[in-house]
């Protein structure tokens, strides 16, 4: 599901939600995507002025832990057209502190699609646990990336030719009765380790204008990453009030398309879209029904395959860490870590959990 401001300001705030990205009118009225209990658009203003160093300037990458790096690279490059841009192997005290684990040896690969990046991490030691086989889209460890495509039918058939595992029953299409979003389509599937992914198609006039540029590419870039949250207000305090991301809009989404997209019967979601000045969006998916989504396991660690980490760039990592500690946030890293020779692409950083356990990697370049 998605929301988007009018073409007039689309260059600065474009957001998508788990199903589609739609256009808002210049009066900032959120168009109805599929059946919902109300069509009111709410824009929440920040109640405080944040210090400059606390504001996230970029959502730089979305990362995940993989079991076999060579297989992961093959999947993301051959199936989804990502290009490998860096490949490093690291070990030592600094990386143990950063990841909150003893004895780590990591292979870290960054891959690019369009303007966006993913970061794959294989723990050569110590190995972690696989993703639970009974994971569902409303479990609170759920996260995905949404990949914009130029042609949904071709993209879906391409995925079928590689025998990818379905999450959605099939690509879902917004009906013609929804004039603002008619024709937008989306589909959920999994990578070889079970990480959820989405492809999303925006017809002419819909979504971020950059997805409309003429191209011969099938897979275009990452529109957003989405996370399941238990309480939207608590998540807004973390992402908006502490980290400075902007709330672009909210919607209430339900209906047969949403149920079959997420493959959760009776799915009714409150969806909130947030943006930083650069990079893909971050979206909250709060399941109002069903309420049986499970919390993150208490023993979850970064070497487990259910681990994702979203990298957020700030001006002063130390200042952000102090503020997060004041607000009693849960840290994975014991402190801000200086990275030797910037081997991971940043000078210093740390891992911290949001209210539902999703990991953010806060870095200073």
């Amino acid at each position: 599901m998605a929301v988007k401001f009018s073409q007039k300001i689309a260059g600065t705030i474009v957001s998508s939600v788990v199903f589609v990205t739609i256009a808002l009118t210049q009066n900032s009225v959120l168009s109805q995507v599929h059946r919902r209990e109300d069509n009111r658009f709410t824009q929440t203003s920040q109640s405080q002025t944040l210090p400059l160093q606390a504001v996230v300037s970029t959502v730089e990458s979305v990362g995940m832990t993989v079991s076999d790096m060579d297989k992961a690279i093959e999947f993301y490059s051959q199936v989804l057209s990502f290009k490998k841009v860096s490949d490093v192997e690291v070990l030592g005290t600094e990386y143990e502190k950063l990841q909150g684990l003893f004895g780590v040896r990591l292979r870290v690969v960054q891959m690019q699609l369009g303007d966006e990046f993913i970061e794959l991490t294989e723990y050569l030691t110590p190995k972690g646990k696989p993703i639970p086989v009974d994971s569902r889209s409303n479990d609170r460890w759920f996260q995905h990336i949404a990949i914009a495509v130029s042609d949904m039918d071709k993209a879906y058939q391409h995925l079928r030719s590689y025998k990818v595992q379905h999450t959605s029953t099939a690509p879902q299409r917004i009906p013609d009765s929804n004039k603002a979003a008619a024709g937008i389509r989306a589909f959920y599937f999994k990578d070889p380790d079970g990480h959820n992914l989405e492809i999303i198609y925006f017809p002419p006039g819909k979504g971020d204008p950059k997805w409309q540029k003429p191209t011969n590419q099938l897979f275009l870039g990452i529109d957003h990453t989405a996370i399941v949250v238990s309480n939207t207000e608590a998540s807004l305090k973390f992402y908006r009030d502490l980290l400075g991301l902007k709330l672009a809009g909210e919607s209430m989404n339900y209906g047969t398309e949403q149920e079959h997209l997420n493959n959760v019967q009776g799915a009714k979601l409150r969806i909130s879209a947030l943006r930083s000045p650069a990079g893909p969006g971050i979206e909250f998916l709060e399941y109002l029904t069903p309420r049986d989504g499970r919390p993150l396991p208490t023993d979850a660690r970064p070497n487990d395959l259910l681990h994702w980490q979203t990298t957020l760039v700030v001006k002063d990592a130390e200042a952000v860490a102090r503020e997060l500690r004041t607000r009693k946030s849960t840290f994975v890293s014991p402190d801000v870590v200086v990275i030797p020779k910037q081997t991971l692409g940043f000078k210093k950083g740390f891992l911290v959990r949001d209210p539902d356990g999703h990991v953010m990697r806060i870095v200073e370049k």
Side-chain angles (χ1 to χ4, degrees), residues 60-61 86-91 94-96 98-99 106-110 119-121 309 311 337-349 351 361 363-365:
E60 185 172 71
S61 66
S86 67
D87 188 341
V88 299
E89 193 168 309
V90 298
L91 75 163
E94 295 85 359
Y95 306 101
E96 293 175 349
L98 182 66
Q99 302 305 122
L106 310 172
R107 183 181 174 190
V108 182
V109 171
Q110 191 173 76
E119 186 178 85
L120 308 176
T121 301
Q309 59 187 40
T311 297
V337 181
V338 177
I339 302 300
K341 300 180 181 179
Q342 300 191 36
T343 51
L344 298 180
F346 55 90
K347 181 168 60 176
K348 59 176 69 173
L351 272 58
R361 186 171 71 179
V363 306
E364 179 181 327
K365 305 292 280 189

Side-chain angles (χ1 to χ4, degrees), residues 34-37 252-258 267-269:
H34 40 135
R35 295 192 308 275
R36 62 179 63 161
E37 59 189 9
M252 194 75 68
N253 309 322
Y254 66 95
T256 185
E257 297 90 354
Q258 189 72 42
K268 180 179 180 181
L269 288 74

